[in-house]
Amino acid sequence: MNTYDIQKIREDFPILGREVYGKPLVYLDNAATTQKPLMVLDAMRDEYLNVNANVHRGVHYLSQQATDLHEAAREKVRQFINARKTEEIVFTRGTTEAINLVASSFCESQMKEGDEVIVTEMEHHSNIVSWQLQAMKRGIVVKHLPITDDGRLVCCDDIATYITNRTKLISVAHVSNVLGTVNNVSDIVKIAHAHGIPVLVDGAQSAPHFKVDVQAMDCDFFAFSGHKMYGPTGIGVLYGKEEWLEKLPPYQGGGEMIDKVTWERTTFERLPFKFEAGTPDYVATHGLAKAIEYIDAIGFDAIQQHEQELTRYCMEQLQTIEGMKIYGPATTPNASALGKDAVVSFNVGNIHHLDMGTLLDRLGIAVRTGHHCAQPLMDRLGISGTVRASFALYNTKEEIDTLVAGIRRVSQMF
């Protein structure tokens, strides 16, 4: 698309035209999941109707055709994040499973009792609990990097002070799902690598919003989900550098991931199939590929400019409301600085976030309330939860105006 035609884009998402409680739907819960364009839904329906067959295992025509689509999706993902090889692209059920895969396989093969993994204070539970489970099983230690009062990580130069000779991995969110903070993962990777430590990046909230280049970032692992970037649910990606994936043992056992099985021993398939036990969701991988095509057609430069303008506008308008408290950085990213991207979390006075969200819903406005699967972050902020508005490529300033008017109306009720 040569220009950002928001109305044309919105026509690709029929659900945006529906009403809720007799009000036009204003969908601002995109950090939880995005809506799906027709081209994704049509492609998946077409595959079920015309190409449905299990992949990799059949010699017949349908199986070969389905396999071609599945592996073409892997190549599409490789290009999307600029991985070196398709062997470095492992399909998972989502970011959560991708992180659990690394936590399980890495700790099993690379860590001993007393060894440390470092996360941050702003992590999603997926990047906390996965490691805590390993702590219970193997006696590893989970440490966390603190954040500042405005929701940023401590200075990158200070991160080195948290590293010890027992530190084996750093795992960090690229973008906070609560604060919208964009972390400088490239600098974190440089510091970690200077100490011989690999880095896992949770890209669930970055992959939908701006260009990710895993080679330029030089991260060792990168995880993201399809459903947060206009693709289907139940599909995600773990990128891992080939040398690391070769070192790690399989996460699950079953069909597809084996080379040879005898009663005495099993040998495993080559990458990436070693980590893909069982029948993959090959229709969802095709849907993910179509979602990437949709994003590519619009272009990340245009998407990022649009969403950052929405984020700036939302913060400006919310700050005109009495009692408004916005969490996280006060600026959006630009060419020279990192800031907040596509997420605005807030509370108003003494109004409980659940009350605010429930009443906004009656006005047709869909926002998220609660701890957003980040309870340690809520503890750091001294609150039980927030209201969260999160944006996608199809949202408009008019919808933000509706949100602001809705908040004012609810605030008057209290």
Side-chain angles (χ1 to χ4, degrees):
M1 301 177 185
N2 294 324
T3 59
Y4 205 86
D5 189 340
I6 189 64
Q7 293 308 318
K8 186 176 187 302
I9 289 172
R10 288 178 66 84
E11 289 171 4
D12 294 331
F13 300 84
I15 195 171
L16 300 178
R18 69 162 298 182
E19 291 190 347
V20 178
Y21 303 119
K23 305 286 186 180
L25 172 65
V26 174
Y27 186 79
L28 299 175
D29 192 21
N30 297 286
T33 197
T34 53
Q35 302 303 330
K36 322 305 173 191
L38 286 170
M39 67 176 288
V40 169
L41 303 177
D42 290 345
M44 294 175 67
R45 183 175 186 271
D46 181 72
E47 182 165 3
Y48 273 126
L49 289 175
N50 297 300
V51 192
N52 186 44
N54 211 329
V55 297
H56 294 146
R57 304 174 191 183
V59 298
H60 58 83
Y61 177 79
L62 287 183
S63 179
Q64 295 296 315
Q65 197 174 16
T67 299
D68 288 346
L69 288 173
H70 181 63
E71 291 307 318
R74 198 185 305 273
E75 169 61 17
K76 181 67 71 174
V77 171
R78 185 202 67 76
Q79 295 173 10
F80 182 66
I81 61 172
N82 193 33
R84 289 174 56 249
K85 300 180 177 180
T86 55
E87 286 84 353
E88 297 178 322
I89 304 300
V90 178
F91 285 123
T92 66
R93 290 182 299 156
T95 307
T96 296
E97 185 177 50
I99 294 173
N100 274 271
L101 188 163
V102 176
S104 176
S105 296
F106 190 92
C107 290
E108 178 183 340
S109 62
Q110 307 296 319
M111 298 185 73
K112 296 179 292 188
E113 183 176 354
D115 284 346
E116 303 166 350
V117 60
I118 297 177
V119 298
T120 81
E121 210 164 22
M122 65 176 72
E123 298 304 318
H124 188 281
H125 291 165
S126 297
N127 203 24
I128 298 174
V129 180
S130 303
W131 302 105
Q132 288 178 336
L133 289 173
Q134 295 302 316
M136 288 186 282
K137 289 179 182 178
R138 307 180 192 279
I140 70 166
V141 177
V142 183
K143 296 167 62 176
H144 65 268
L145 298 171
I147 62 170
T148 61
D149 290 342
D150 67 344
R152 303 174 192 268
L153 281 181
V154 294
C155 175
C156 274
D157 292 339
D158 293 338
I159 291 174
T161 65
Y162 291 84
I163 295 173
T164 74
N165 60 2
R166 300 302 300 269
T167 304
K168 301 301 180 184
L169 184 136
I170 295 175
S171 191
V172 58
H174 201 170
V175 177
S176 166
N177 72 308
V178 176
L179 306 171
T181 305
V182 183
N183 287 317
N184 194 340
V185 291
S186 294
D187 280 1
I188 293 172
V189 169
K190 289 176 184 175
I191 293 168
H193 285 181
H195 291 79
I197 299 168
V199 177
L200 164 63
V201 177
D202 174 355
Q205 300 295 338
S206 61
H209 300 292
F210 51 83
K211 181 63 179 173
V212 168
D213 185 330
V214 293
Q215 291 192 69
M217 193 188 305
D218 199 28
C219 60
D220 302 277
F221 305 97
F222 186 88
F224 65 98
S225 299
H227 73 99
K228 295 182 188 292
M229 47 180 284
Y230 317 104
T233 57
I235 192 67
V237 172
L238 171 66
Y239 157 81
K241 286 183 177 177
E242 184 178 24
E243 57 265 33
W244 273 114
L245 294 181
E246 291 284 9
K247 291 178 186 178
L248 302 186
Y251 173 54
Q252 296 175 319
E256 188 66 29
M257 51 75 69
I258 59 92
D259 174 37
K260 183 177 177 61
V261 177
T262 68
W263 288 119
E264 289 73 33
R265 68 188 297 266
T266 294
T267 55
F268 304 117
E269 255 284 21
R270 68 190 189 280
L271 295 176
F273 308 114
K274 179 174 77 170
F275 295 103
E276 295 180 355
T279 298
D281 195 340
Y282 50 85
V283 176
T285 61
H286 183 43
L288 174 59
K290 289 297 178 182
I292 291 173
E293 287 181 17
Y294 187 83
I295 290 171
D296 286 344
I298 300 173
F300 264 130
D301 287 346
I303 292 170
Q304 191 172 11
Q305 181 179 352
H306 176 72
E307 292 178 344
Q308 289 178 6
E309 179 58 31
L310 291 178
T311 307
R312 279 192 292 269
Y313 184 72
C314 183
M315 289 194 293
E316 289 169 0
Q317 297 305 308
L318 289 180
Q319 287 166 354
T320 66
I321 298 174
E322 185 177 355
M324 175 62 61
K325 169 64 176 176
I326 298 175
Y327 301 93
T331 58
T332 53
N334 56 47
S336 61
L338 298 169
K340 183 196 294 284
D341 195 39
V343 173
V344 181
S345 288
F346 62 91
N347 282 311
V348 182
N350 294 321
I351 304 173
H352 196 278
H353 49 86
L354 179 60
D355 293 333
M356 176 64 74
T358 301
L359 293 170
L360 288 175
D361 176 58
R362 300 299 297 188
L363 299 174
I365 304 165
V367 293
R368 199 70 158 191
T369 65
H371 54 68
H372 314 296
C373 296
Q375 287 178 302
L377 175 57
M378 296 298 117
D379 291 341
R380 167 64 177 86
L381 298 174
I383 55 178
S384 63
T386 74
V387 184
R388 183 184 71 188
S390 50
F391 312 116
L393 55 82
Y394 43 64
N395 288 123
T396 67
K397 286 186 176 180
E398 289 75 18
E399 289 180 314
I400 292 172
D401 291 338
T402 301
L403 169 67
V404 172
I407 295 170
R408 291 188 187 279
R409 181 173 174 181
V410 172
S411 297
Q412 291 173 355
M413 298 172 62
F414 288 84

